[in-house]
Structure formats: C-alpha cells, structure tokens
Amino acid sequence: MSHPAGVSPDTPDRAARAFVHEFSEGSKEQKRLLGGKGANLAEMTNLGLPVPPGFTISTEACRYYLAEGHEPPGLADEVDRHLARLEAERGKRLGAREDPLLVSVRSGAMYSMPGMMDTVLDIGLHDGSVAGLAAESGDERFAWDSYRRLIQMFGKTVLGIDGGLFDAALDRAKRDRGVRSDLGLGVEDLRELVAEHKAIVRDRSGREFPQDAREQVDMAVRAVFESWNTDRARAYRRQERIPHDLGTAVNVMAMVYGNLGPDSGTGVAFTRDPATGRPGVYGDYLRDAQGEDVVAGIRNTVPLQELEDIDKHSYDELMRIMARLEGHYKDLCDIEFTIERGKLWMLQTRVGKRTAAAAFRMAAQLVDDGVIDLDEALRRVTGAQLAQLMFPQFDRRSGITAFAHGVPASPGAAVGAVVFDSAEAVARDADGERVILVRQETSPDDLPGMLAADGILTSRGGKTSHAAVVARGMGKTCVVGAEDIAIDLERRRFTGPGVEVGEGDVISVDGTTGAVYRGEIAVVPSPVMRDLESGRDGEAGRGAEGAAGGAGEEPGADGESGVVHAVRRLMRHADDVRRLAVHANADTPEDAARARRFGAHGIGLCRTEHMFLGERRRYVEDLILAESQQQRDKALEALLPLQRDDFTGILEAMDGLPVTIRLIDPPLHEFLPDLTGLAVKVAVARERGAPDAGDLRLLQAVRKQHEQNPMLGLRGVRLGLVVPGLVAMQVRAVAEAAVARTRAGGTPRPEIMVPLVGGVEELELLRTEIDAVLADVRAAAGVDVPIAVGTMIELPRAALTAGRIATVAEFFSFGTNDLTQTTWGFSRDDVEGAFFPAYLDKGVFTVSPFEALDEEGVGRLIEIAVAEGRAARPGLVIGVCGEHGGDPSSVRFFDQAGLDYVSCSPYRVPVARLEAGRSAVTASEGGSDTR
Ligand code: PEP
Ligand code: MG
C-alpha cells in the first residue's frame, strides 16, 4: 500500500497530516485512506476522465470522530480551504443566492458496502438559493425538484426521520395531481411538496431544515461518519468479515444534474455481465433523474443500449470510457454516470462484485485475452467462491416461500424426511430414505444420525456450534439456530410460524441461505463438484490429462463447462505455484479415497474415536468397568483386530502417502451411557424391585468418570498414561496394519500422533511405551515399517515449550481447535451460542476465532512453536489439523508461518489447495483483496 507523502495512516505525526485530499491527489491504491470510492474517483480524475471536481475526507478523520466523539481539530479549516478551491474551480459559491454551487456528500469505505451507508445530494439548496438555481438553469421545476430531494434525503439520512413519511407525501402529491410519475408534478406541486417536507422535518426532528449551506455540509459529513456504526452496517461487516475499525471516507463533489430535462439522466453500467463474466454492454439508464432514482426503482429504467438512440454522442463516449476503464483496471468495472444536458460525467467506478461462477470464468478469460497472467487470475478468485461453486443448490425458480430461517452453517441444498433422533435417521437411511435430522442442538452422540442424514437443522446454536462444525467437516448441508421452530420430541413434531411438521414429512433445507421450506424443492447439482470429485482437475488429475480433455467438457467462456474449465485451470495453477501441501482429515477408507480424489496428499488427522462407537462401545464399557488386568486385556484384545482392520483400510486408500493417526483423544465417559438416563433407569428399576447389577456398576463408573470440565479433564495423552494398555493396543493395531499392507505389496506410511500434550515429560513417558510396542511388532513380523511418532500442539504450554517437546516429537501438528479454546479460555460448545453474537456485535472480533485463526494470539503461539521446534529439530515437519486448516484466510497465515501442510476435511481440500496457491502468488505481490 502506498500513500502520498505525509499521509500514511501509520505516521505518528498527526499535526503534519492532512485529513482532506483533492481527487487529483490520490490513486486507486489508496483505498484504506480514501475509501474505495474516493480512491477510484482520484484514479479516474488522473486518467483525465470527466469527473466533477471534489475532495475526499479521509477514513482517518472518521476514525478520529468515532473514537473522540468530535471532528479532529483542523478538519473544519481544511474543509473550508477545499470548498473554496471547489468554488473557484466552478465559479460558483456554495449556497449563494445566485447561481449556487451544490455538492453531494457520499460515503465510501475501503470495502464497498452496497446500500449500507449514507449519501446526500443537492447540498447547498435553501429557501434563498432555490430561486438562484432556477434562474441559472432556466428551469424552475428542476430547482424545486432538487430542493424537495435534498430535504427528503437530508431528513432521512442526517436527521434520522422515517423516509416513509417523505415517500408518502410524494405519493400523495402524485395522487392529487392524478399522475403516475414524479415527472408529472409541476413547479407548484413541488413547491408545496417542499413545504410539506419541511413540516415533516420540523415535526419529527424538532428543528427547522438548516438554511445554512455550510451547516448542511458539516451535518451530512457527520452523518456519514456515524453511518459507519449503524446496525445494518455492522451486520454487513460481520457477514463479510470486514473489520469494524476501518471507518469510512466522505466524498464531497460538485453536483452535476441528471434531472435537468429529457437530455439529462443517470445510469449504472458494467463492462461485463457480472453474472457470467461475458463482455458486453450491461446496465440501466433513467432519463431526467438523479442517482438515487435508479436504485430506488421509482420509475422504470431502460436498458443501457437504448441510450444509443437517446443520446448517441454520450453513449459513444461512455463506451470509450468503459473500454478504457476495463483496460486500465484489467477487470470488470462497475460504473455510475450522469448526463447533464448532453454532457457525460463519471460519478463512480469500482472493480465490480460478481458471482462466484463469473469470477472464475472472467479470470480465465482475461488470461486467454492476454490481459492478465495466471498469477493474477489466481488472485482474483477466492476459496469462498470455490466453496460456493461446489455445493448443490435449490432451483430458485420453484417459487415456494420459506417457513423458517436460521443461520446458514454449511452450504448446500438438502431434501428429506424429518427425523428427530440419530437412531431414526440411521434406520431410515438404511432403508434408502433421505432424511433431515432436526434437533434442538447436536452432540457427539448424534454423529451416526448426522452421517446418515442428508441435511441437519437445529433450532439453537451458531455458526460454530457442534452441528455446524461437524456438518461443515462432512460437507453436509446444515442450518442452525432456526429459532422460529419449536421441537416437541414427545409428539415427534415441530412447529414453526403457521406450520406443523411431523416425523416423516419432507422439508428442504438451504444451507447457503439458511431458509427452510416445506416439501421438496428441486436441486441442481454442481458441475464443479462433479468435476473436482472426479479428480480430473489440477493435482489429482496430473497424468490424466487426456481424460480431462476428453471428458465431454468443451472449454468455453459460457455455461457450465466454461466454469468447470476455468476452475480446473486455476486449480492447476494453484497446485503449480503453492509451497504448502494439503492433507485431509479423514477417518474412514471412503473419506480417505474421496480426499485423494480431491487432491489431498495424505491424511493429516485420522481421529480414532469414532472407531469406538456403535457395537464397539461395549468393549470400552468393559475396559472401564474391568476390575482386573485380565478383564482389561480381554476388552483390548477384542478391540485390536477391529482397529487393525480400520487402519488397514485407511492405509490402503492412502497408499504411498502419509497417514497421521491420532491416538484416542476424548474422555472415556463420552463412550458411556448418559448419566441422567442411566440414573433414571436404575431409580425406576429400584422402585420395581432390584436394579440390574450391571446397570448399577455402570452407573457407579459413569459417576466416577463424570467431569466438571471434560475439555480440560482426563483426555488426550493423559488417557494413555492412566488407562493401562489402551495406547499399546492402538499402536499395535497401526503397526500390524502397516505390516499387513507391506506384505500385500503396498507402501504404507503411517505416523502416530499423540494429542493434548502439555509437557515433554508426558510425551517421553508415552513414547517409551509406543517405541516398545513398535519394536515388538517389528521383531515379531520381521518387517520394518518406519513409523514416525509426533505430537499435536494444542495447548499454550506445548507451544511455549515446543523446543523441548521437539526433542521427543518427530513432527508437530497444530490442533487449532483446542489451541483456540485454551488460549482464549473459551469452551467452544458453550460460548458460541451463548455470547459470541454479542462479542461479534461489539466488535471484540470480526469473525469467530474458531472459524478464522486468531492470528494475534493463537498465531503468535504458532510462530513461537515453529521457531523453537525447528531450532531444536531442524527440518521438523509441521502441519495443522484444526478446523482452520480449511479456512481461506487462515491458510494464508499458515503458509506465511512456514508450515509444511494444512489438513482439513476432504470437502475443503480443493479450497485449501486454491488458497495455498493464492497465498504463494500474493505473498510476493504484497496482498490482493478480492472482497
Ligand atoms: C484440534 O484441537 O484442533 C483438533 C484437531 O483436535 P479435535 O478437534 O479433535 O480436538
Ligand atoms: Mg484437539
């Protein structure tokens, strides 16, 4: 980012800094200081395009205002000076009785926030200057029309009056006159409307509409500053992950008038179709109107092409300018313009927002056109856009309306019969029925049901609740926190506004929008997903080039094949340039195989806990209840062959690539029955006579195992150290599986990973046991399969003592889920639904630290651990396997922190590959933002 001399926002010398900048002083690189609009107005001015003169009050002034509650000292003088310059340039005086200068005051933040912030046009009009404007323009109607617009806009945005009151007055005037459009109102009507608007201002704000032009400017500027913190602006920023502390700039520009009659007008245009990326003329034009009318939809616009007939000269000039802008920005530009009596003025341009499909198509196409190179193309697409292209979507033409809305937690479109518990989901799924699991919240117990379901709907919880996190990990459609619905488990039904839905009834859940519909809505499959899953793109498709070309996909700019081709091309480039490897979190052979098709180069985290569920639970129960070593061994012996088969399957699916198998992590009580349920069962049995002895023993054990804070309790490495034989069984299963795969001609590359290590002593103790088992299997089998033993770094203490831990660990993998929990002291499952919404709202963070890595805190621990770990053991392989491994912004951090790989759920592997590539090409470039 470059700044003009002396105005870097980081310069401590505030006195030397200017808060106001002429358009001619800035450039498009200065969005942080001048906002997007100001920076691009400056760029257009310097390109010599017809931009009305003006100046920008910097975001810095806004930040000062918001922090201190008043304008920075000196701002008023600076504005005076720049207004004087503007007056001199236009040969008019602001608010003068004769030939007054009018200005617009418009917000413009670093990132565009469409419709979120304020604009006021026609500032400078008052009872005294309206006649001067009429005389100068020779159009009395125009002058009064501008005045009524000013009062309306000022009243609404600056004085906070309900805009509906002004609209109602305008509608009334049209009705009284018997006209359909505001163009049918005459001078007298508008004069009356002005009087009415002024009365509304008086009634609602308790003050007269300000008659001093300079006061109008100051009030409007302040209102723009304050609009940064409106609820809707904050909500938008939360959604878009835009920091709350950037502030907005304010642009003050000489007015040009689109409402000066039929040879005037205003319009918006795109240099390409933002939905498809196709070049062409896209836009709307409205005659005899001011900017806001186009978006407000008060009259019907005409397609931009018709401007050619209306005003060919302006149309031709606009086409030339659009071509020039696209050539200059080398991207789709979005433009606002006004024609004042046949003279074209450019009011705004920016690199336009686009759909995900258009982003990919356009980037690839601009490469084909020789406008940009592949590195730049990669900077122009995002992992979030790719994720959007991967999910199936509802056919929006269906016309059915949603009966409830929740938080869109995991995108996609799911249709199925409602079920209320895991067992029912599993049973119906086994019968081939598609189901939606509807729960108040989910817990690890619901896992089988979540796996069986096509979609998940919860009435409580946020974006990082258990349901949301697990569903995203599975790539499963999920809507959480749909608070409109009330679940009645007893009657097996839920109610929502005006509906009652019973078990077995079909609903449709849109994980992209959060909408829930009754009945079945048609789903359109994603061609990008089909292609990625086929493994024909990029990395996974290497060597299968012929197949990619011969798959019946005609590479072209349009349609589905155009998107598929573009995605394939950019993925290929991302794989070529990225340094960071991408592994997957997978614990079944199916997931491993899928991850491989998606381009994963190994498994970074194979969680072993699900291998203890279902049928196998009873062995864990036996293990916990065992009263002798003999009983314990019996339970472990029963588990050993099952585990061995688990690992053999996974190693086969990932043959030749590393498979990091993590020893059991969660507290054992998670595998025992629920305390309350069991206590009730025993109590009821006691009422009726004698409870079952087994149940009694189990209840005792469950009580004994109960923990206040299981997250910080007997789990991870601690389990291995206190439950005899458990780790040995798992390690033996891994080693024997590796031997079996080697004998079968495979190339197994298992690694053993110890979770939740806090100190090197824990790891040392466990390693002694692990090494002994490995040596034993090796000796017995006569086959030497090297198996590295490493650890997760998921406690702050582990990160801070990483140098010592690295003397014992052969690799590190950051468990950023637990590292975030323990660094912040947040229990994820408890805090997300409880107070995260308030935290996000208050700006404690812009995005949940469980979603995007907290670089400042958790990231710092990671940097320390990387440096100290590698100092102690040069070349130490380091990865990350927490949720953040698949989060686009976090991937970049991990790349820059020097990690070797990120590991994420199979469905996020393509996103991580793309983001790793983007990180490689933006690191050298200094960062690019496609937001
Ligand atoms: C982690 O803590 O980041 C991790 C991967 O482990 P889990 O989520 O299984 O605790
Ligand atoms: Mg963990």
Side-chain angles (χ1 to χ4, degrees):
M1 174 96 28
S2 66
H3 301 279
V7 294
S8 157
D10 304 313
T11 310
D13 179 9
R14 188 173 287 282
R17 223 182 300 167
F19 288 110
V20 183
H21 309 273
E22 290 292 308
F23 291 160
S24 56
E25 290 170 358
S27 80
K28 69 178 165 51
E29 319 309 330
Q30 289 177 281
K31 294 194 179 68
R32 182 173 285 277
L33 183 72
L34 302 177
K37 193 176 288 155
N40 288 322
L41 282 168
E43 190 76 10
M44 288 201 292
T45 302
N46 291 327
L47 282 174
L49 301 183
V51 176
F55 54 86
T56 302
I57 302 171
S58 70
T59 55
E60 219 184 0
C62 174
R63 289 196 293 274
Y64 185 101
Y65 178 88
L66 294 176
E68 305 294 327
H70 59 84
E71 286 85 353
L75 180 64
D77 290 347
E78 279 190 59
V79 171
D80 276 345
R81 276 201 307 280
H82 286 270
L83 275 173
R85 201 161 141 179
L86 191 57
E87 288 175 337
E89 194 169 338
R90 299 293 279 176
K92 299 166 186 260
R93 280 209 3 269
L94 181 73
R97 289 184 164 267
E98 278 167 29
D99 189 14
L101 170 70
L102 305 194
V103 294
S104 64
V105 172
R106 308 174 80 190
S107 61
M110 176 171 176
Y111 301 112
S112 91
M113 295 168 55
M116 290 299 129
M117 314 260 301
D118 289 345
T119 290
V120 188
L121 306 180
D122 302 313
I123 284 184
L125 273 179
H126 48 80
D127 294 353
S129 61
V130 65
L133 183 68
E136 174 58 27
S137 61
D139 187 340
E140 207 176 352
R141 186 193 176 283
F142 152 74
W144 285 96
D145 183 49
S146 301
Y147 197 19
R148 69 97 189 155
R149 286 168 186 273
L150 168 64
I151 303 169
Q152 172 159 5
M153 244 184 272
F154 196 94
K156 182 172 165 219
T157 57
V158 181
L159 301 173
I161 299 168
D162 174 7
L165 295 170
F166 299 105
D167 293 336
L170 178 61
D171 287 344
R172 224 170 16 247
K174 288 195 285 192
R175 227 181 10 253
D176 291 351
R177 220 348 99 202
V179 294
R180 304 236 324 260
S181 147
D182 56 315
L183 292 180
L185 298 175
V187 176
E188 275 319 305
D189 304 317
L190 292 166
R191 235 189 247 274
E192 275 171 34
L193 206 48
V194 162
E196 260 188 80
H197 279 11
K198 288 201 316 204
I200 294 174
V201 167
R202 196 178 311 118
D203 284 356
R204 297 290 157 155
S205 72
R207 62 162 295 168
E208 293 293 335
F209 176 75
Q211 293 294 313
D212 180 274
R214 183 54 210 271
E215 188 186 3
Q216 291 174 6
V217 171
D218 289 343
M219 287 176 75
V221 169
R222 205 168 300 146
V224 172
F225 285 163
E226 285 172 3
S227 69
W228 177 255
N229 274 335
T230 57
D231 288 346
R232 64 189 171 145
R234 297 187 74 84
Y236 182 85
R237 290 199 294 273
R238 267 202 308 279
Q239 172 78 22
E240 298 292 310
R241 294 187 181 186
I242 297 172
H244 289 309
D245 58 3
L246 293 173
T248 180
V250 188
N251 301 290
V252 179
M253 188 195 252
M255 280 297 299
V256 289
Y257 307 101
N259 55 338
L260 264 174
D263 56 353
S264 302
T266 188
V268 293
F270 296 98
T271 56
R272 285 165 187 260
D273 183 347
T276 64
R278 209 175 300 137
V281 183
Y282 297 88
D284 300 299
Y285 182 68
L286 191 58
R287 271 171 111 156
D288 200 3
Q290 280 197 344
E292 304 308 294
D293 299 341
V294 179
V295 265
I298 59 159
R299 275 183 268 138
N300 285 339
T301 56
V302 298
L304 186 59
Q305 281 85 345
E306 290 187 22
L307 179 61
E308 190 169 12
D309 298 331
I310 299 169
D311 179 350
K312 179 148 173 50
H313 178 77
S314 296
Y315 179 80
D316 289 345
E317 191 183 357
L318 181 65
M319 290 303 119
R320 274 195 302 277
I321 290 175
M322 280 166 63
R324 173 113 191 260
L325 283 173
E326 188 168 296
H328 183 71
Y329 283 86
K330 299 184 166 52
D331 207 340
L332 161 80
C333 290
D334 159 347
I335 287 159
E336 280 180 26
F337 65 93
T338 279
I339 297 172
E340 180 184 292
R341 290 189 171 149
K343 160 99 181 103
L344 175 70
W345 291 99
M346 303 303 293
L347 300 188
Q348 175 175 327
T349 191
R350 64 180 170 215
V351 168
K353 293 199 187 274
R354 63 213 58 194
T355 63
F360 275 88
R361 274 203 213 106
M362 219 186 297
Q365 201 185 326
L366 289 171
V367 174
D368 286 338
D369 296 347
V371 177
I372 58 174
D373 61 13
L374 272 166
D375 281 4
E376 177 59 21
L378 205 47
R379 287 181 206 116
R380 296 216 179 157
V381 293
T382 65
Q385 286 166 335
L386 178 63
Q388 254 180 40
L389 292 176
M390 288 172 65
F391 286 100
Q393 287 181 340
F394 284 124
D395 191 345
R396 297 197 197 287
R397 291 164 303 182
S398 60
I400 307 179
T401 48
F403 69 79
H405 276 93
V407 180
S410 178
V415 180
V418 167
V419 292
F420 292 102
D421 62 47
S422 188
E424 186 69 22
V426 172
R428 289 191 187 228
D429 176 54
D431 289 344
E433 196 175 352
R434 289 183 304 169
V435 295
I436 306 286
L437 181 64
V438 182
R439 305 279 295 165
Q440 188 170 314
E441 297 173 289
T442 61
S443 73
D445 269 347
D446 295 317
L447 218 58
M450 295 172 82
L451 278 164
D454 272 50
I456 296 145
L457 170 64
T458 69
S459 57
R460 294 224 326 231
K463 257 199 161 167
T464 43
S465 58
H466 179 268
V469 171
V470 174
R472 269 202 300 282
M474 294 175 177
K476 194 148 287 195
T477 302
C478 177
V479 170
V480 295
E483 286 169 2
D484 306 340
I485 67 168
I487 300 171
D488 182 348
L489 265 185
E490 209 121 288
R491 295 175 56 224
R492 315 295 286 176
R493 59 189 56 249
F494 72 79
T495 50
V499 290
E500 187 167 296
V501 180
E503 192 151 58
D505 292 352
V506 171
I507 60 169
S508 300
V509 177
D510 191 334
T512 313
T513 62
V516 187
Y517 305 87
R518 192 153 195 166
E520 173 162 357
I521 298 194
V523 167
V524 195
S526 149
V528 168
M529 179 62 140
R530 268 190 279 129
D531 192 63
L532 287 167
E533 223 184 338
S534 75
R536 288 199 302 264
D537 76 292
E539 187 78 347
R542 249 166 242 290
E545 194 61 32
E553 301 273 13
E554 274 303 315
D558 301 332
E560 290 190 350
S561 66
V563 185
V564 170
H565 178 70
V567 169
R568 225 187 257 185
R569 193 146 170 221
L570 296 186
M571 290 301 284
R572 181 76 47 94
H573 188 61
D575 289 334
D576 281 343
V577 294
R578 70 187 159 92
R579 184 196 62 80
L580 197 65
V582 178
H583 295 190
N585 294 357
D587 14 296
T588 62
E590 297 73 37
D591 268 0
R594 177 177 295 117
R596 213 169 172 163
R597 289 197 299 277
F598 277 136
H601 259 206
I603 291 182
L605 173 63
C606 171
R607 290 183 169 99
T608 52
E609 36 271 18
H610 91 100
M611 302 168 186
F612 293 84
L613 293 174
E615 275 288 284
R616 306 179 188 183
R617 241 185 160 122
R618 65 192 161 99
Y619 299 122
V620 183
E621 271 181 35
D622 289 349
L623 184 68
I624 296 171
L625 298 178
E627 281 164 357
S628 67
Q629 186 60 37
Q630 204 188 0
Q631 284 176 346
R632 202 169 288 128
D633 287 347
K634 199 160 157 235
L636 290 169
E637 269 161 33
L639 281 166
L640 178 66
L642 301 170
Q643 280 266 267
R644 193 168 49 223
D645 286 353
D646 294 332
F647 299 140
T648 309
I650 292 166
L651 289 172
E652 184 174 0
M654 268 291 161
D655 195 55
L657 296 173
V659 174
T660 308
I661 296 167
R662 182 179 72 182
L663 302 176
I664 187 166
D665 181 22
L668 289 184
H669 70 74
E670 284 198 6
F671 305 97
L672 295 179
D674 170 63
L675 175 61
T676 319
L678 191 60
V680 169
K681 186 177 172 199
V682 168
V684 169
R686 206 169 258 141
E687 282 284 293
R688 293 189 182 142
D692 181 79
D695 282 350
L696 266 178
R697 270 194 330 135
L698 194 56
L699 178 61
Q700 244 176 5
V702 172
R703 286 218 169 101
K704 200 166 144 219
Q705 298 274 335
H706 179 77
E707 292 174 321
Q708 291 297 341
N709 291 307
M711 182 190 88
L712 301 176
L714 180 57
R715 51 169 290 215
V717 65
R718 305 160 196 177
L719 270 179
L721 292 178
V722 303
V723 180
L726 186 56
V727 160
M729 182 278 291
Q730 285 203 293
V731 171
R732 179 171 294 277
V734 172
E736 290 181 358
V739 168
R741 283 296 307 144
T742 306
R743 287 195 175 132
T747 313
R749 290 180 56 194
E751 297 175 342
I752 288 172
M753 181 156 75
V754 183
L756 216 76
V757 165
V760 69
E761 297 79 5
E762 291 173 311
L763 190 61
E764 263 166 357
L765 284 168
L766 210 66
R767 252 212 98 153
T768 310
E769 187 178 356
I770 293 170
D771 288 347
V773 176
L774 291 179
D776 196 37
V777 175
R778 221 172 274 140
V783 177
D784 185 16
V785 185
I787 300 180
V789 180
T791 183
M792 297 193 67
I793 302 288
E794 52 184 345
L795 293 175
R797 194 181 189 287
L800 296 171
T801 59
R804 292 190 66 208
I805 292 177
T807 59
V808 182
E810 292 174 277
F811 62 85
F812 281 177
S813 177
F814 289 103
T816 47
N817 303 334
D818 273 308
L819 195 54
T820 303
Q821 296 206 87
T822 50
T823 299
W824 274 93
F826 285 152
S827 157
R828 182 170 75 186
D829 292 343
D830 295 321
V831 297
E832 286 194 313
F835 64 83
F836 266 27
Y839 261 42
L840 290 165
D841 194 46
K842 289 180 190 303
V844 178
F845 28 67
T846 335
V847 53
S848 159
F850 291 110
E851 217 176 311
L853 191 85
D854 155 33
E855 295 180 13
E856 196 184 4
V858 179
R860 174 105 183 85
L861 286 169
I862 288 175
E863 283 164 352
I864 292 171
V866 168
E868 298 192 1
R870 290 216 173 113
R873 188 188 281 266
L876 179 74
V877 172
I878 305 181
V880 56
C881 62
E883 276 282 304
H884 307 87
D887 170 67
S889 67
S890 313
V891 168
R892 185 171 312 187
F893 175 85
F894 296 131
D895 187 28
Q896 280 154 21
L899 266 57
D900 296 293
Y901 68 87
V902 293
S903 187
C904 54
S905 81
Y907 289 96
R908 292 173 99 186
V909 165
V911 171
R913 282 167 51 204
L914 186 80
E915 286 294 343
R918 276 169 44 74
S919 172
V921 293
T922 47
S924 54
E925 209 248 0
S928 152
D929 210 305
T930 43
R931 179 151 37 197

